mmCIF file of all heavy atoms in Angstrom:
data_model
loop_
_atom_site.group_PDB
_atom_site.id
_atom_site.type_symbol
_atom_site.label_atom_id
_atom_site.label_comp_id
_atom_site.label_asym_id
_atom_site.label_seq_id
_atom_site.Cartn_x
_atom_site.Cartn_y
_atom_site.Cartn_z
ATOM 1 N N VAL A 1 116.077 33.334 81.259
ATOM 2 C CA VAL A 1 116.594 32.270 82.170
ATOM 3 C C VAL A 1 115.996 32.470 83.506
ATOM 4 O O VAL A 1 115.555 31.463 84.065
ATOM 5 C CB VAL A 1 118.141 32.400 82.219
ATOM 6 C CG1 VAL A 1 118.701 31.523 83.400
ATOM 7 C CG2 VAL A 1 118.677 31.819 80.895
ATOM 8 N N TYR A 2 116.004 33.642 84.086
ATOM 9 C CA TYR A 2 115.519 33.788 85.451
ATOM 10 C C TYR A 2 113.995 33.444 85.581
ATOM 11 O O TYR A 2 113.581 32.843 86.535
ATOM 12 C CB TYR A 2 115.783 35.156 85.993
ATOM 13 C CG TYR A 2 115.271 35.367 87.433
ATOM 14 C CD1 TYR A 2 115.806 34.692 88.448
ATOM 15 C CD2 TYR A 2 114.169 36.125 87.728
ATOM 16 C CE1 TYR A 2 115.476 34.810 89.803
ATOM 17 C CE2 TYR A 2 113.697 36.233 88.985
ATOM 18 C CZ TYR A 2 114.364 35.619 90.027
ATOM 19 O OH TYR A 2 113.787 35.674 91.348
ATOM 20 N N ALA A 3 113.252 33.809 84.520
ATOM 21 C CA ALA A 3 111.838 33.508 84.562
ATOM 22 C C ALA A 3 111.620 31.955 84.479
ATOM 23 O O ALA A 3 110.709 31.496 85.219
ATOM 24 C CB ALA A 3 111.128 34.173 83.326
ATOM 25 N N ALA A 4 112.453 31.325 83.728
ATOM 26 C CA ALA A 4 112.342 29.858 83.713
ATOM 27 C C ALA A 4 112.736 29.225 84.995
ATOM 28 O O ALA A 4 112.061 28.292 85.407
ATOM 29 C CB ALA A 4 113.276 29.359 82.540
ATOM 30 N N GLU A 5 113.665 29.822 85.614
ATOM 31 C CA GLU A 5 114.063 29.275 87.002
ATOM 32 C C GLU A 5 112.981 29.478 87.978
ATOM 33 O O GLU A 5 112.806 28.540 88.874
ATOM 34 C CB GLU A 5 115.364 29.929 87.381
ATOM 35 C CG GLU A 5 115.914 29.523 88.807
ATOM 36 C CD GLU A 5 116.215 28.059 88.960
ATOM 37 O OE1 GLU A 5 116.281 27.388 87.937
ATOM 38 O OE2 GLU A 5 116.480 27.679 90.105
ATOM 39 N N GLN A 6 112.305 30.560 87.940
ATOM 40 C CA GLN A 6 111.223 30.763 88.835
ATOM 41 C C GLN A 6 110.152 29.621 88.755
ATOM 42 O O GLN A 6 109.615 29.151 89.735
ATOM 43 C CB GLN A 6 110.506 32.064 88.597
ATOM 44 C CG GLN A 6 111.239 33.399 89.033
ATOM 45 C CD GLN A 6 110.546 34.589 88.715
ATOM 46 O OE1 GLN A 6 110.466 34.975 87.523
ATOM 47 N NE2 GLN A 6 110.082 35.315 89.689
ATOM 48 N N ILE A 7 109.900 29.283 87.567
ATOM 49 C CA ILE A 7 108.835 28.185 87.312
ATOM 50 C C ILE A 7 109.480 26.809 87.716
ATOM 51 O O ILE A 7 108.745 26.031 88.288
ATOM 52 C CB ILE A 7 108.517 28.153 85.800
ATOM 53 C CG1 ILE A 7 107.837 29.559 85.425
ATOM 54 C CG2 ILE A 7 107.508 27.040 85.493
ATOM 55 C CD1 ILE A 7 107.699 29.755 83.935
ATOM 56 N N ARG A 8 110.760 26.591 87.346
ATOM 57 C CA ARG A 8 111.290 25.304 87.797
ATOM 58 C C ARG A 8 111.262 25.117 89.320
ATOM 59 O O ARG A 8 111.001 23.960 89.761
ATOM 60 C CB ARG A 8 112.791 25.271 87.297
ATOM 61 C CG ARG A 8 113.356 23.870 87.505
ATOM 62 C CD ARG A 8 114.915 23.962 87.401
ATOM 63 N NE ARG A 8 115.476 24.659 88.590
ATOM 64 C CZ ARG A 8 115.752 24.124 89.782
ATOM 65 N NH1 ARG A 8 115.444 22.878 90.019
ATOM 66 N NH2 ARG A 8 116.245 24.982 90.759
ATOM 67 N N ARG A 9 111.580 26.160 90.074
ATOM 68 C CA ARG A 9 111.524 26.024 91.496
ATOM 69 C C ARG A 9 110.189 25.679 92.043
ATOM 70 O O ARG A 9 110.092 24.894 92.934
ATOM 71 C CB ARG A 9 112.065 27.383 92.085
ATOM 72 C CG ARG A 9 113.472 27.705 91.888
ATOM 73 C CD ARG A 9 113.827 29.124 92.313
ATOM 74 N NE ARG A 9 115.219 29.474 92.058
ATOM 75 C CZ ARG A 9 115.700 30.724 92.184
ATOM 76 N NH1 ARG A 9 114.962 31.648 92.637
ATOM 77 N NH2 ARG A 9 117.030 30.909 91.919
ATOM 78 N N GLU A 10 109.140 26.173 91.354
ATOM 79 C CA GLU A 10 107.773 25.812 91.878
ATOM 80 C C GLU A 10 107.405 24.350 91.484
ATOM 81 O O GLU A 10 106.742 23.702 92.283
ATOM 82 C CB GLU A 10 106.686 26.691 91.154
ATOM 83 C CG GLU A 10 106.722 28.157 91.672
ATOM 84 C CD GLU A 10 106.378 28.293 93.169
ATOM 85 O OE1 GLU A 10 105.621 27.419 93.641
ATOM 86 O OE2 GLU A 10 106.889 29.216 93.742
ATOM 87 N N VAL A 11 107.973 23.848 90.428
ATOM 88 C CA VAL A 11 107.801 22.474 90.151
ATOM 89 C C VAL A 11 108.528 21.609 91.211
ATOM 90 O O VAL A 11 107.953 20.609 91.736
ATOM 91 C CB VAL A 11 108.397 22.077 88.757
ATOM 92 C CG1 VAL A 11 108.455 20.558 88.530
ATOM 93 C CG2 VAL A 11 107.588 22.734 87.665
ATOM 94 N N GLU A 12 109.724 22.023 91.596
ATOM 95 C CA GLU A 12 110.475 21.308 92.588
ATOM 96 C C GLU A 12 109.750 21.302 93.946
ATOM 97 O O GLU A 12 109.720 20.288 94.688
ATOM 98 C CB GLU A 12 111.893 21.866 92.753
ATOM 99 C CG GLU A 12 112.870 20.905 93.438
ATOM 100 C CD GLU A 12 114.302 21.448 93.244
ATOM 101 O OE1 GLU A 12 114.520 22.659 93.230
ATOM 102 O OE2 GLU A 12 115.182 20.590 93.049
ATOM 103 N N LEU A 13 109.226 22.490 94.363
ATOM 104 C CA LEU A 13 108.520 22.600 95.607
ATOM 105 C C LEU A 13 107.198 21.756 95.565
ATOM 106 O O LEU A 13 106.844 21.193 96.596
ATOM 107 C CB LEU A 13 108.129 24.042 95.856
ATOM 108 C CG LEU A 13 109.329 25.024 96.185
ATOM 109 C CD1 LEU A 13 108.846 26.510 96.163
ATOM 110 C CD2 LEU A 13 109.891 24.601 97.554
ATOM 111 N N THR A 14 106.578 21.631 94.503
ATOM 112 C CA THR A 14 105.420 20.795 94.336
ATOM 113 C C THR A 14 105.751 19.300 94.607
ATOM 114 O O THR A 14 105.028 18.602 95.239
ATOM 115 C CB THR A 14 104.746 20.942 92.944
ATOM 116 O OG1 THR A 14 104.447 22.315 92.775
ATOM 117 C CG2 THR A 14 103.451 20.178 92.900
ATOM 118 N N LYS A 15 106.847 18.833 94.046
ATOM 119 C CA LYS A 15 107.332 17.484 94.296
ATOM 120 C C LYS A 15 107.602 17.352 95.775
ATOM 121 O O LYS A 15 107.214 16.269 96.356
ATOM 122 C CB LYS A 15 108.538 17.175 93.449
ATOM 123 C CG LYS A 15 108.245 16.936 91.933
ATOM 124 C CD LYS A 15 109.506 16.718 91.218
ATOM 125 C CE LYS A 15 110.328 15.484 91.720
ATOM 126 N NZ LYS A 15 111.506 15.283 90.948
ATOM 127 N N GLN A 16 108.276 18.301 96.400
ATOM 128 C CA GLN A 16 108.647 18.162 97.787
ATOM 129 C C GLN A 16 107.424 18.132 98.686
ATOM 130 O O GLN A 16 107.514 17.591 99.753
ATOM 131 C CB GLN A 16 109.494 19.387 98.188
ATOM 132 C CG GLN A 16 110.963 19.310 97.504
ATOM 133 C CD GLN A 16 111.783 20.620 97.782
ATOM 134 O OE1 GLN A 16 111.337 21.453 98.560
ATOM 135 N NE2 GLN A 16 112.887 20.700 97.190
ATOM 136 N N ALA A 17 106.299 18.755 98.183
ATOM 137 C CA ALA A 17 105.043 18.664 98.896
ATOM 138 C C ALA A 17 104.359 17.343 98.781
ATOM 139 O O ALA A 17 103.268 17.144 99.356
ATOM 140 C CB ALA A 17 104.119 19.795 98.437
ATOM 141 N N GLY A 18 104.956 16.346 98.103
ATOM 142 C CA GLY A 18 104.384 15.057 97.972
ATOM 143 C C GLY A 18 103.372 14.888 96.851
ATOM 144 O O GLY A 18 102.627 13.914 96.771
ATOM 145 N N ILE A 19 103.361 15.830 95.924
ATOM 146 C CA ILE A 19 102.428 15.824 94.807
ATOM 147 C C ILE A 19 103.239 15.333 93.602
ATOM 148 O O ILE A 19 104.168 16.061 93.198
ATOM 149 C CB ILE A 19 101.771 17.185 94.581
ATOM 150 C CG1 ILE A 19 101.008 17.632 95.782
ATOM 151 C CG2 ILE A 19 100.909 17.210 93.340
ATOM 152 C CD1 ILE A 19 100.427 19.046 95.733
ATOM 153 N N PRO A 20 102.759 14.326 92.949
ATOM 154 C CA PRO A 20 103.524 13.833 91.693
ATOM 155 C C PRO A 20 103.368 14.877 90.643
ATOM 156 O O PRO A 20 102.329 15.488 90.419
ATOM 157 C CB PRO A 20 102.751 12.535 91.293
ATOM 158 C CG PRO A 20 102.053 12.113 92.499
ATOM 159 C CD PRO A 20 101.709 13.350 93.289
ATOM 160 N N VAL A 21 104.444 15.075 89.893
ATOM 161 C CA VAL A 21 104.510 16.095 88.778
ATOM 162 C C VAL A 21 104.951 15.280 87.518
ATOM 163 O O VAL A 21 105.919 14.733 87.458
ATOM 164 C CB VAL A 21 105.467 17.256 89.024
ATOM 165 C CG1 VAL A 21 105.439 18.252 87.876
ATOM 166 C CG2 VAL A 21 105.040 18.040 90.319
ATOM 167 N N VAL A 22 104.128 15.458 86.486
ATOM 168 C CA VAL A 22 104.392 14.805 85.212
ATOM 169 C C VAL A 22 104.414 15.869 84.118
ATOM 170 O O VAL A 22 103.427 16.759 84.082
ATOM 171 C CB VAL A 22 103.427 13.684 84.820
ATOM 172 C CG1 VAL A 22 103.735 13.164 83.451
ATOM 173 C CG2 VAL A 22 103.490 12.555 85.868
ATOM 174 N N VAL A 23 105.349 15.884 83.272
ATOM 175 C CA VAL A 23 105.449 16.921 82.193
ATOM 176 C C VAL A 23 105.069 16.194 80.913
ATOM 177 O O VAL A 23 105.371 15.112 80.568
ATOM 178 C CB VAL A 23 106.871 17.455 82.044
ATOM 179 C CG1 VAL A 23 107.069 18.109 80.646
ATOM 180 C CG2 VAL A 23 107.084 18.563 83.059
ATOM 181 N N SER A 24 104.123 16.957 80.161
ATOM 182 C CA SER A 24 103.749 16.556 78.825
ATOM 183 C C SER A 24 104.178 17.656 77.815
ATOM 184 O O SER A 24 103.797 18.804 77.944
ATOM 185 C CB SER A 24 102.228 16.416 78.742
ATOM 186 O OG SER A 24 101.824 16.268 77.354
ATOM 187 N N MET A 25 105.162 17.283 76.916
ATOM 188 C CA MET A 25 105.716 18.222 75.942
ATOM 189 C C MET A 25 104.801 18.278 74.725
ATOM 190 O O MET A 25 104.447 17.175 74.189
ATOM 191 C CB MET A 25 107.128 17.814 75.609
ATOM 192 C CG MET A 25 108.111 17.874 76.730
ATOM 193 S SD MET A 25 109.784 17.416 76.180
ATOM 194 C CE MET A 25 110.801 17.989 77.631
ATOM 195 N N GLY A 26 104.593 19.499 74.205
ATOM 196 C CA GLY A 26 103.757 19.655 73.009
ATOM 197 C C GLY A 26 104.650 19.695 71.820
ATOM 198 O O GLY A 26 105.613 18.910 71.657
ATOM 199 N N ASP A 27 104.382 20.686 70.926
ATOM 200 C CA ASP A 27 105.125 20.816 69.672
ATOM 201 C C ASP A 27 106.656 21.055 70.002
ATOM 202 O O ASP A 27 107.459 20.585 69.279
ATOM 203 C CB ASP A 27 104.590 21.954 68.864
ATOM 204 C CG ASP A 27 103.258 21.640 68.305
ATOM 205 O OD1 ASP A 27 102.924 20.416 68.028
ATOM 206 O OD2 ASP A 27 102.404 22.562 68.109
ATOM 207 N N VAL A 28 106.930 21.910 70.961
ATOM 208 C CA VAL A 28 108.283 22.238 71.325
ATOM 209 C C VAL A 28 108.453 22.487 72.758
ATOM 210 O O VAL A 28 107.559 23.135 73.370
ATOM 211 C CB VAL A 28 108.708 23.542 70.409
ATOM 212 C CG1 VAL A 28 107.831 24.720 70.695
ATOM 213 C CG2 VAL A 28 110.172 23.907 70.777
ATOM 214 N N ALA A 29 109.445 21.902 73.313
ATOM 215 C CA ALA A 29 109.756 22.179 74.708
ATOM 216 C C ALA A 29 111.315 22.212 74.853
ATOM 217 O O ALA A 29 111.954 21.218 75.268
ATOM 218 C CB ALA A 29 109.257 21.089 75.655
ATOM 219 N N ALA A 30 111.905 23.245 74.163
ATOM 220 C CA ALA A 30 113.318 23.341 74.060
ATOM 221 C C ALA A 30 113.906 24.470 74.842
ATOM 222 O O ALA A 30 113.222 25.387 75.122
ATOM 223 C CB ALA A 30 113.670 23.482 72.592
ATOM 224 N N SER A 31 115.235 24.374 75.192
ATOM 225 C CA SER A 31 115.983 25.332 75.860
ATOM 226 C C SER A 31 115.285 25.657 77.253
ATOM 227 O O SER A 31 115.147 24.859 78.105
ATOM 228 C CB SER A 31 116.205 26.540 75.013
ATOM 229 O OG SER A 31 117.401 27.235 75.403
ATOM 230 N N GLY A 32 114.765 26.967 77.335
ATOM 231 C CA GLY A 32 113.981 27.266 78.514
ATOM 232 C C GLY A 32 112.758 26.361 78.781
ATOM 233 O O GLY A 32 112.341 26.137 79.892
ATOM 234 N N GLY A 33 112.236 25.857 77.617
ATOM 235 C CA GLY A 33 111.114 24.960 77.768
ATOM 236 C C GLY A 33 111.440 23.628 78.392
ATOM 237 O O GLY A 33 110.761 23.047 79.119
ATOM 238 N N TYR A 34 112.706 23.216 78.108
ATOM 239 C CA TYR A 34 113.284 21.999 78.815
ATOM 240 C C TYR A 34 113.673 22.410 80.263
ATOM 241 O O TYR A 34 113.502 21.552 81.165
ATOM 242 C CB TYR A 34 114.506 21.458 78.074
ATOM 243 C CG TYR A 34 114.884 20.071 78.558
ATOM 244 C CD1 TYR A 34 114.271 18.959 78.097
ATOM 245 C CD2 TYR A 34 115.841 19.916 79.619
ATOM 246 C CE1 TYR A 34 114.593 17.681 78.620
ATOM 247 C CE2 TYR A 34 116.161 18.758 80.140
ATOM 248 C CZ TYR A 34 115.551 17.604 79.623
ATOM 249 O OH TYR A 34 115.783 16.349 80.173
ATOM 250 N N TRP A 35 114.147 23.559 80.464
ATOM 251 C CA TRP A 35 114.488 24.009 81.775
ATOM 252 C C TRP A 35 113.358 23.891 82.788
ATOM 253 O O TRP A 35 113.545 23.374 83.867
ATOM 254 C CB TRP A 35 114.955 25.508 81.690
ATOM 255 C CG TRP A 35 115.574 26.064 82.979
ATOM 256 C CD1 TRP A 35 115.022 26.108 84.171
ATOM 257 C CD2 TRP A 35 116.828 26.676 83.019
ATOM 258 N NE1 TRP A 35 115.871 26.757 85.070
ATOM 259 C CE2 TRP A 35 117.032 27.096 84.433
ATOM 260 C CE3 TRP A 35 117.876 26.975 82.125
ATOM 261 C CZ2 TRP A 35 118.184 27.766 84.871
ATOM 262 C CZ3 TRP A 35 119.041 27.622 82.613
ATOM 263 C CH2 TRP A 35 119.145 28.054 83.935
ATOM 264 N N ILE A 36 112.186 24.262 82.389
ATOM 265 C CA ILE A 36 111.007 24.194 83.297
ATOM 266 C C ILE A 36 110.468 22.755 83.422
ATOM 267 O O ILE A 36 109.614 22.477 84.297
ATOM 268 C CB ILE A 36 109.924 25.167 82.916
ATOM 269 C CG1 ILE A 36 109.212 24.815 81.598
ATOM 270 C CG2 ILE A 36 110.433 26.599 82.835
ATOM 271 C CD1 ILE A 36 108.134 25.661 81.223
ATOM 272 N N SER A 37 110.925 21.880 82.588
ATOM 273 C CA SER A 37 110.431 20.443 82.575
ATOM 274 C C SER A 37 111.329 19.506 83.262
ATOM 275 O O SER A 37 110.765 18.481 83.732
ATOM 276 C CB SER A 37 110.316 19.989 81.067
ATOM 277 O OG SER A 37 109.492 20.941 80.283
ATOM 278 N N MET A 38 112.585 19.798 83.389
ATOM 279 C CA MET A 38 113.518 18.754 83.791
ATOM 280 C C MET A 38 113.341 18.131 85.122
ATOM 281 O O MET A 38 113.773 17.017 85.338
ATOM 282 C CB MET A 38 114.939 19.395 83.704
ATOM 283 C CG MET A 38 115.244 20.556 84.660
ATOM 284 S SD MET A 38 116.967 21.016 84.540
ATOM 285 C CE MET A 38 116.946 22.715 84.817
ATOM 286 N N ASN A 39 112.636 18.794 86.137
ATOM 287 C CA ASN A 39 112.525 18.214 87.423
ATOM 288 C C ASN A 39 111.235 17.405 87.721
ATOM 289 O O ASN A 39 111.019 17.015 88.804
ATOM 290 C CB ASN A 39 112.574 19.392 88.502
ATOM 291 C CG ASN A 39 113.957 19.894 88.704
ATOM 292 O OD1 ASN A 39 114.372 20.934 88.177
ATOM 293 N ND2 ASN A 39 114.787 19.157 89.524
ATOM 294 N N ALA A 40 110.464 17.174 86.603
ATOM 295 C CA ALA A 40 109.328 16.343 86.735
ATOM 296 C C ALA A 40 109.613 14.945 87.115
ATOM 297 O O ALA A 40 110.745 14.420 86.848
ATOM 298 C CB ALA A 40 108.486 16.444 85.470
ATOM 299 N N ASP A 41 108.702 14.171 87.755
ATOM 300 C CA ASP A 41 108.872 12.793 88.044
ATOM 301 C C ASP A 41 108.972 11.943 86.717
ATOM 302 O O ASP A 41 109.645 10.987 86.698
ATOM 303 C CB ASP A 41 107.695 12.319 88.820
ATOM 304 C CG ASP A 41 107.673 12.846 90.298
ATOM 305 O OD1 ASP A 41 108.592 12.628 90.990
ATOM 306 O OD2 ASP A 41 106.722 13.568 90.560
ATOM 307 N N ARG A 42 108.280 12.428 85.702
ATOM 308 C CA ARG A 42 108.368 11.724 84.457
ATOM 309 C C ARG A 42 108.065 12.748 83.320
ATOM 310 O O ARG A 42 107.208 13.599 83.484
ATOM 311 C CB ARG A 42 107.346 10.635 84.381
ATOM 312 C CG ARG A 42 107.607 9.600 83.222
ATOM 313 C CD ARG A 42 106.979 8.307 83.520
ATOM 314 N NE ARG A 42 107.244 7.139 82.599
ATOM 315 C CZ ARG A 42 108.434 6.492 82.677
ATOM 316 N NH1 ARG A 42 109.310 6.701 83.534
ATOM 317 N NH2 ARG A 42 108.721 5.482 81.733
ATOM 318 N N ILE A 43 108.736 12.552 82.199
ATOM 319 C CA ILE A 43 108.591 13.468 81.074
ATOM 320 C C ILE A 43 108.101 12.705 79.855
ATOM 321 O O ILE A 43 108.642 11.710 79.471
ATOM 322 C CB ILE A 43 109.858 14.188 80.697
ATOM 323 C CG1 ILE A 43 110.373 15.013 81.862
ATOM 324 C CG2 ILE A 43 109.684 15.024 79.501
ATOM 325 C CD1 ILE A 43 111.691 15.667 81.581
#
């Protein structure tokens, strides 16, 4: 969980910097995989 949260925070900071963030899910993006994806501008 904490490792996933570290990544999610960087996604959020990137958006705050004015850079659009889009997530592309592959075969599986579940649980912690969804955790790091949820803050994107579009999934």
Side-chain angles (χ1 to χ4, degrees):
V1 165
Y2 180 68
E5 176 63 8
Q6 287 179 291
I7 298 168
R8 186 200 69 82
R9 290 172 184 173
E10 289 297 332
V11 170
E12 197 167 39
L13 288 172
T14 302
K15 287 178 58 180
Q16 292 174 6
I19 298 174
V21 180
V22 177
V23 159
S24 170
M25 293 180 168
D27 291 329
V28 57
S31 207
Y34 191 86
W35 188 304
I36 67 178
S37 304
M38 61 176 147
N39 283 98
D41 292 296
R42 197 161 187 82
I43 299 176

